[in-house]
């Protein structure tokens, strides 16, 4: 088994650098990706190179391949990997200057360098760790569920725009009618992972609304991105105090939509359980129910808010970012079992989602993304509707002008523990859970912020340096250290039975 790019790094006569025209897997990868390769991509290409070498070594033809000039030979892929580790460490010591490395070795000798290096770096442990870290994917073909809304943008666009394939995965993104179905298909193992609402993994782990099953949420998909829509006949009822008796739709009980709508109307003196009706309606059915008069309004994900304006049957009363700037909404989640039993596959999927989320966060990519996710097999929406949501240049059905709100929806993968604590306070405030709650314990177990931070760093992004922060919702500060005090500060809440 040979590879001319993996010469002995302790030999001053050996050149380690790749020359112009080198067609090894890694050089080819770099030439095809001028923006650079991630650590994972380089590892995958290296594995591919090893696989090719092994195929060559086991080719029992009468003609043996002729090694390249000065190409070292290896008895196994493990030996080749060991050499790669040694080469990377030595080259790093010399700032990847091969001339400096060769000059130094000619002065002091390769044996001296090797001995000195061995006293400061446990090479055997490093080699073992590297081999473990780029193990093969346990499963490449995955089913990932999504509900067709713009909040799922990273999960959806990662398929047509190649983010899953980039990390060696073949992912079927499966359109799902609503979150009860997404939850149940996740629990019974039909989905390996799924687009979920950020309260769902908390509820599922606690057994609220379903059997208790340990779930984790590695990444938030979007922040902001929702709105309160009212039917056009209510343009004269902009004061929520006028909404008594209204029927509102939300996509799921364990959703930010439900909790934000409840919070909003309660701040205007309405009891959401007594003064209005809140019905669970799958997002794709929101517009039809508004048109039919079954709903007076809804707090829903886009593009169904903008679609109501497009269809001229509703208007945007309020963007949810005006209730809580930067609030979480949807998320990428999976079972603890999947993450534990398939760590390499989980890591690859996790990285693809974080990478896609960061790509989605850049305003210059939004038009391209709108085009990619609008077709029938994804959102099945007019591209102009999706573009208005993602770019923040839209009409609201009230004013005769184009509004410009670039952060109408945004994308940030970091799962703040303080956000989870706020969600838990609302679950208790409205009677979805009762009794004593270990707010921080549950938040930190389900929202795996430390893992997210590490993946962000691995991909070259900068994560926050902390996992808790204070949030302001409709002018009122939420202190994550005092969740019970926060709940008790509200006059309107569910009375424990």
């Amino acid at each position: 088994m040979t590879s001319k790019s993996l010469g002995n790094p302790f030999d001053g006569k050996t050149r380690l650098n790749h020359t112009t025209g080198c067609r090894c897997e890694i050089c080819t990868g770099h030439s095809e990706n001028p923006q650079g390769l991630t650590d994972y991509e380089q590892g995958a290409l290296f594995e591919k190179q090893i696989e090719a070498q092994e195929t060559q070594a086991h080719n029992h033809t009468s003609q043996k391949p002729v090694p390249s000039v000065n190409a070292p030979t290896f008895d196994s892929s493990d030996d080749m990997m060991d050499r790669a580790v040694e080469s990377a460490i030595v080259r790093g010591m010399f700032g990847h200057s091969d001339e400096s490395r060769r000059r130094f070795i000619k002065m002091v000798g390769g044996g001296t360098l090797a001995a000195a290096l061995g006293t400061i770096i446990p090479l055997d442990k490093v080699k073992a760790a590297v081999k473990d870290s780029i193990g093969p994917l346990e499963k490449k073909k995955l089913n990932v569920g999504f509900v067709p809304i713009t909040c799922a943008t990273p999960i959806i666009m990662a398929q047509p725009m190649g983010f899953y394939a980039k990390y060696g995965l073949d992912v079927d993104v499966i359109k799902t009618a609503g979150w009860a179905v997404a939850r149940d298909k996740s629990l019974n193992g039909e989905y390996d992972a799924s687009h979920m609402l950020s309260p769902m993994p908390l509820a599922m782990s606690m057994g609220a609304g379903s059997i208790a099953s340990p779930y984790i949420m590695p990444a938030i998909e979007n922040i902001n991105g929702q709105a309160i829509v009212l039917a056009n006949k209510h343009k004269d009822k902009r004061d929520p105090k006028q909404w008594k008796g209204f029927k509102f739709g939300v996509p799921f009980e364990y959703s930010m939509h439900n909790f934000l709508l409840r919070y909003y109307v309660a701040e205007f003196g309405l009891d959401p359980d007594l003064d209005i009706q809140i019905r669970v309606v799958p997002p794709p059915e929101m517009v039809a129910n508004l048109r039919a008069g079954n709903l007076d309004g809804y707090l829903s994900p886009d593009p169904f808010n903008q679609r109501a304006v497009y269809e001229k049957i509703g208007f945007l009363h309020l963007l949810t970012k005006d209730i809580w700037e930067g609030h979480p909404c949807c998320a990428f989640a999976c079972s603890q079992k999947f993450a534990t039993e398939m760590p390499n596959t989980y890591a690859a999927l996790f990285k693809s989602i974080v990478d896609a989320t960061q790509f989605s966060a850049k305003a210059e990519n939004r038009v391209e993304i709108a085009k990619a996710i609008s077709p029938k097999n994804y959102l099945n929406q007019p591209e102009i509707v999706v573009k208005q949501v993602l770019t923040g240049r839209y009409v609201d059905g009230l004013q005769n002008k184009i509004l410009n709100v670039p952060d109408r929806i945004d994308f940030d993968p970091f799962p703040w523990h303080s956000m989870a604590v706020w969600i838990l306070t609302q679950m208790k405030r409205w009677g979805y859970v009762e009794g004593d709650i270990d707010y921080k314990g549950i938040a930190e177990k389900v929202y795996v912020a430390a893992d997210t931070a590490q993946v962000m760093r691995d991909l070259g992004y900068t994560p926050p340096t902390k996992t808790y922060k204070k949030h302001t919702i409709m002018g009122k500060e939420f202190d994550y250290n005092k969740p019970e005090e926060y709940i008790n500060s509200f006059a309107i809440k569910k009375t424990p039975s």
Side-chain angles (χ1 to χ4, degrees), residues 335-405:
S335 67
Q336 181 66 61
K337 182 174 182 285
F338 173 76
T340 302
E341 293 183 358
M342 299 188 182
N344 297 327
T345 297
Y346 165 70
L349 183 58
F350 190 178
K351 286 185 176 181
S352 66
I353 293 294
V354 170
D355 215 0
T357 303
Q358 294 287 2
F359 183 87
S360 302
K362 296 178 180 178
E364 63 267 26
N365 297 330
R366 301 284 180 88
V367 172
E368 179 186 6
I369 292 171
K371 187 176 184 65
I373 68 175
S374 294
K376 186 175 181 179
N377 52 328
Y378 299 122
L379 295 188
N380 191 25
Q381 295 290 325
E383 186 179 326
I384 189 173
V385 172
V386 179
K387 188 189 299 183
Q388 285 185 71
V389 174
L390 292 182
T391 63
R393 290 182 57 79
Y394 64 96
V395 292
D396 64 1
L398 287 170
Q399 305 172 72
N400 190 25
K401 66 176 182 178
I402 295 175
L403 303 176
N404 186 23
V405 184

Side-chain angles (χ1 to χ4, degrees), residues 90-141:
V90 171
R91 283 185 289 123
M93 290 177 62
F94 292 93
H96 295 275
S97 169
D98 200 49
E99 290 302 317
S100 297
R101 176 192 67 83
R102 293 172 64 215
R103 283 199 301 269
F104 184 82
I105 291 174
K106 286 176 182 177
M107 286 191 294
V108 304
T112 301
L113 174 60
L117 188 60
T119 63
I120 57 176
I121 298 176
L123 277 175
D124 289 342
K125 291 183 179 180
V126 173
K127 291 173 185 176
V130 169
K131 290 174 197 172
D132 288 342
S133 70
I134 61 171
L137 300 177
E138 299 87 359
K139 182 179 181 182
K140 294 183 179 181
K141 182 75 172 175

Side-chain angles (χ1 to χ4, degrees), residues 1-17:
M1 187 180 299
T2 67
S3 178
K4 64 181 180 181
S5 62
L6 291 177
N8 183 358
F10 302 107
D11 183 353
K13 297 179 181 179
T14 300
R15 292 183 180 275
L16 303 183
N17 54 319

Side-chain angles (χ1 to χ4, degrees), residues 157-171:
M157 54 75 74
Q159 204 279 338
M161 298 183 76
F163 284 85
Y164 295 127
K166 178 180 178 180
Y167 293 93
L169 298 171
D170 179 9
V171 175

